């Protein structure tokens, strides 16, 4: 029993060490995460402003080539390594080297606002993650932290940005761990990421930022809680295959088309200008502006939006159009994230599949919302938690099935090329 | 673009391969998981019967030393490697060698029923996991599967047993992946485990097995969804430290006291008989039978039970008594699991802490329920999902905080000694 006592007091000592290191982390993480959360609140507010401005002045779209070229020129002139974006952050977490430059924060912040003001089709998670990573890396350099500490701080910064910008702190914490490698979740950083994500989300909320609420009214019959309809779950799995394939198309198209454009047009401002013109051409060809911007709001009532896909309709192709608009925007160098367009593509595809499979529209829109992103970012567990955070626990089983099947079907190269492959999918 | 096309068709081919391998897995996993689910239903029904019988004939307790000795003798005479239990299964998943013997299934099945019939304090997850592992390993041997396939099948068997016995299929799927190593979740086996867990749970439900429902009526105010009370969350984190320390005490006490008893009394039937006498002595000393059996039901209304801890009272020490009764029972060689007693200990400790911290009793009982187990088994993500499956998503944030903090504070040697340490906690 003395050995038990010895072991136990050893463990108590360990907890003392953890406690001390925790206080240090608290002193460091609380202000950093609060700052990232506050920046995300301003960012969300400015995105809202940019989108409303575009709705008020539709002709601003014709400045998209100019806006894109200007941002690309600024990046080329002053950006340094900033242009690598999320990939630089993932790389710095894996093998800390020169760090993430502080200038990445203002560049991606204003670059994304310009994309959305002039009508590019893009997202916001990349921006939030880069804000978090850039601030965290700078804090680490300023405080002369070790590589291991900087790594944790960077992960916490990613968690804070992600958790705050989507209002999903649990998904944010897991995302920061899960995005680093395909097929493996390593628990180093579990608590710092959770703390950072919660504080950033809380700050963002406290400053009055609102997240669109999505509602799935479908609930499985109460007779057998949680797991009821094998047929419905089979449909969720089948849809998961489609979600995974579309995520694969999205990621591959972005990479290949981006590489092709870089080869054909090495001068980045010209590339962005061409991309802007292409987006304008797409608006002319398809005679709609519904696929510009985030896709969260629409200027014309009845135009497709993410929340609109939660109600039945006969819209079968919005997912493909949004994919096209987004690939053209992002692969020509516009700034912004991939995730909100992936939410749109997923919700639209789930909406369409619900019609084909005779399944509840709201549920399948929700499944697509999280599962296409799960597959494209190779983050099935973060997206399962995001689905539960956004839509509640009643449909946790189909959400999990859709996310995990989609992840299994999307190949090994997701939207983040610097992600390592730890455990192949098959 | 031809490269894109080539890559994409390569990926389609991969999906074809996945599809074929999936059909094979379906043919194998569906009947296996259904069989495990059915066995779990019978097991749950017999546990109920054994407990009711003990309530009807209280003097049956005095046969506990004889029952324990008989089971220990049968294990020593016929069990082969079965006595290693869950540890053998985890070892076989890591490094497949002789396999898990089929006889483990009937031995642990009836051994656990005898523990509960005569009044030992134990659980049921070990039994369910060993039923699943034993059947899966036998199927693998019979079908001459490769080591890699057997490994996946064993994990699926664990997921099926766990998912069915607690009615929490998502937690079951993650548990089977997470229990293998401390600090790392590897995604190989993600889908087979999910499928097995869902089918086993569904079979178990369909055969009429009922799981006790626990209800947390506390909901955070709707004004700020999910994340509201920093003070409440700080209390959840503080309780998480206590949950982790108690899990550490439980695991260490089981290991050390078990090793001591083995050294002092090498003859296993005598050891179990002594354990049985010690449990009877504890009943005399504390003048209560409330800490016998699972702790899910009570013979005397008002006696502490797991669901009772969800309502306020002045019971501050039930967690320590249940810990004592369970360590005496399990470390002297009685069969059964650790998890249901850990649910009891956690809910009782959460209940007590809620009183001390002026926090909602039902919420903190629920936090302890999942977090002590998370810390003792080193499975924080499975337990987070279990908490969401059992209690809903409204309190997902405090559930996550409690589970992750408890996990961080419980040291590296949980209740499963064959667990590898992949990433140290600190």
């Amino acid at each position: 029993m003395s050995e038990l006592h010895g072991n136990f007091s050893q463990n108590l000592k360990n907890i003392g060490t953890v406690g001390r290191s925790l206080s240090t982390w608290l002193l460091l993480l609380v202000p950093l995460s609060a700052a990232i959360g506050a920046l995300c609140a301003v960012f969300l507010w400015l995105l809202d402003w940019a989108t409303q401005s575009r709705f008020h002045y539709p002709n601003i779209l014709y400045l998209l080539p100019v806006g894109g070229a200007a941002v690309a020129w600024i990046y080329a002139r002053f950006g340094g390594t900033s242009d690598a974006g999320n990939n630089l952050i993932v790389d710095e977490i894996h093998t800390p080297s020169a760090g993430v430059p502080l200038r990445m924060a203002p560049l991606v912040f204003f670059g994304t606002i310009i994309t959305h003001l002039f009508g590019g089709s893009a997202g916001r998670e990349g921006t939030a993650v880069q804000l978090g990573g850039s601030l965290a890396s700078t804090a680490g350099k300023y405080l002369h932290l070790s590589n291991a500490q900087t790594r944790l701080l960077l992960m916490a910064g990613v968690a804070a940005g992600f958790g705050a910008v989507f209002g999903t702190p649990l998904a944010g914490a897991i995302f920061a761990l899960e995005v680093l490698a395909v097929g493996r979740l390593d628990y180093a950083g579990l608590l710092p990421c959770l703390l950072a994500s919660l504080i950033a989300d809380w700050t963002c909320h406290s400053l009055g930022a609102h997240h669109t609420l999505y509602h799935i009214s479908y609930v499985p019959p109460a007779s057998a809680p949680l797991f009821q309809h094998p047929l419905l779950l089979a449909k969720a799995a089948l849809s998961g295959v489609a979600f995974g394939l579309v995520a694969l198309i999205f990621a591959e198209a972005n990479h290949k088309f981006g590489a092709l454009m870089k080869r054909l047009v090495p001068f980045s401002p010209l590339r962005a200008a061409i991309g802007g013109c292409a987006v304008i051409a797409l608006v002319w060809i398809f005679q709609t502006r519904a696929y510009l911007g985030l896709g969260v709001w629409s200027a014309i009532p009845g135009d497709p939006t993410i929340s609109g896909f939660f109600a039945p309709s006969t819209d079968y192709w919005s997912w493909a159009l949004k994919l096209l608009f987004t690939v053209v925007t992002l692969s020509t160098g516009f700034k912004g994230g991939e995730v909100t367009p992936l939410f749109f593509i997923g919700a639209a595809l789930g909406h369409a599949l619900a019609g084909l499979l005779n399944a509840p529209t709201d549920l399948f829109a929700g499944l697509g919302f999280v599962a296409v992103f799960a597959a494209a970012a190779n983050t099935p567990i973060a997206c399962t938690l995001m689905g539960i955070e956004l839509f509640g626990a009643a449909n946790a089983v189909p959400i999990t099935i859709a996310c995990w099947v989609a992840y299994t079907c999307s190949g090994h190269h997701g939207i983040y090329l610097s992600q390592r492959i730890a455990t192949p999918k098959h």
Side-chain angles (χ1 to χ4, degrees), chain A:
Chain A
M1 290 304 279
S2 74
E3 199 191 337
L4 166 60
H5 182 257
N7 242 19
F8 186 65
S9 63
Q10 180 56 43
N11 269 305
L12 273 184
K13 261 185 229 153
N14 281 345
I15 285 165
T17 318
V18 173
R20 271 193 302 283
S21 110
L22 193 72
S23 345
T24 319
W25 277 106
L26 278 174
L27 283 178
L28 191 54
L29 280 181
V30 172
L32 178 70
S33 314
I36 294 169
L39 274 177
C40 283
V42 177
F43 174 60
L44 288 173
W45 182 83
L46 278 176
L47 274 183
D48 198 349
W49 166 83
T51 307
Q52 296 301 331
S53 304
R54 182 166 58 79
F55 290 169
H56 275 287
Y57 308 102
N59 287 333
I60 206 171
L61 171 65
Y62 299 107
L63 294 175
L64 185 62
V66 180
V71 172
W73 184 81
I74 294 170
Y75 261 87
R77 180 77 181 76
F78 304 105
T81 54
S82 299
D83 203 39
N86 288 3
N87 286 317
L88 176 64
I89 294 174
V90 171
D91 270 335
E92 282 290 327
I93 293 174
H94 281 298
T95 44
S97 57
V100 181
L102 181 60
R103 69 188 97 167
M104 181 192 265
L107 283 173
V108 75
F109 189 101
F110 292 107
T112 306
I113 299 295
I114 284 174
T115 301
H116 285 279
L117 177 65
F118 296 122
S121 170
R124 49 196 170 179
E125 112 292 345
T127 316
V129 162
Q130 289 169 48
L131 285 176
S134 160
L135 262 65
S137 179
T138 306
K141 249 183 272 182
Y142 188 79
L143 297 168
H144 301 291
L145 296 186
S146 70
N147 276 355
Q149 290 167 321
T150 304
R151 185 185 140 85
L152 281 185
L153 202 62
L154 265 171
M155 288 162 67
V158 170
F162 190 98
V165 84
F166 295 124
T168 54
L170 304 184
I174 293 280
F175 179 83
L177 306 175
E178 200 177 26
V179 74
L180 304 176
V182 178
R184 180 176 292 171
L185 188 64
D186 199 290
Y187 292 9
L190 202 64
L191 281 189
C193 287
L194 180 62
L195 181 70
S197 185
L198 285 169
I199 289 172
D201 177 47
W202 187 78
T203 310
C204 191
H205 266 297
S206 304
L207 293 174
H210 292 293
H211 302 283
T212 312
L213 295 178
Y214 303 97
H215 186 63
I216 296 181
S217 59
Y218 174 81
V219 279
S223 56
L226 286 175
F227 183 28
Q228 171 68 341
H229 292 296
L231 183 64
L232 185 81
L233 298 184
K235 290 175 186 174
L238 197 65
S239 304
V241 176
F243 297 144
L245 288 177
V246 167
L248 172 64
I249 295 172
F250 179 90
E252 289 287 321
N254 256 330
H255 300 321
K256 304 294 176 190
F257 193 65
L260 181 76
M261 284 299 294
K262 265 190 187 156
R263 212 169 54 231
L264 296 180
V265 189
F267 185 56
S268 63
L270 179 59
R271 208 155 63 230
I274 293 174
C277 293
V279 170
I280 295 169
L282 288 174
V283 167
W284 282 344
I285 295 169
F286 294 103
Q287 286 294 310
T288 175
R289 289 164 178 256
Y291 307 109
L292 302 178
L294 285 172
V296 173
W297 310 283
S298 72
I300 301 166
D303 256 6
T305 59
I306 296 179
S307 52
F309 294 125
F310 284 70
S313 84
T314 54
D315 180 344
Y316 288 107
W317 293 105
S318 272
W319 66 269
L321 289 173
K322 183 68 178 176
L323 194 153
L324 181 63
F325 274 75
T326 310
V327 168
V328 168
T329 303
L330 293 180
S331 62
T332 53
F334 281 87
K335 295 298 152 188
E338 292 91 347
V339 176
T340 308
L342 286 170
F343 290 162
F344 186 110
I345 293 167
L349 182 58
H351 173 97
L353 289 168
L356 293 176
L357 297 170
N358 189 26
T361 306
D362 54 357
L363 175 60
F364 276 63
L367 297 183
F369 184 110
V370 288
V372 171
F373 167 38
N378 290 315
T379 54
I381 295 181
C383 291
T384 302
L385 280 172
M386 174 179 257
I388 291 170
E389 287 182 285
L390 291 177
F391 311 125
N395 290 299
V397 169
I399 287 170
T400 307
I401 291 176
C403 287
W404 296 12
V405 170
Y407 161 79
T408 307
C409 295
S410 69
H412 290 89
H413 305 294
I415 50 177
Y416 306 120
L417 283 177
S418 57
Q419 209 169 38
R420 310 296 197 260
I421 298 175
T423 304
K425 296 182 183 181
H426 29 77

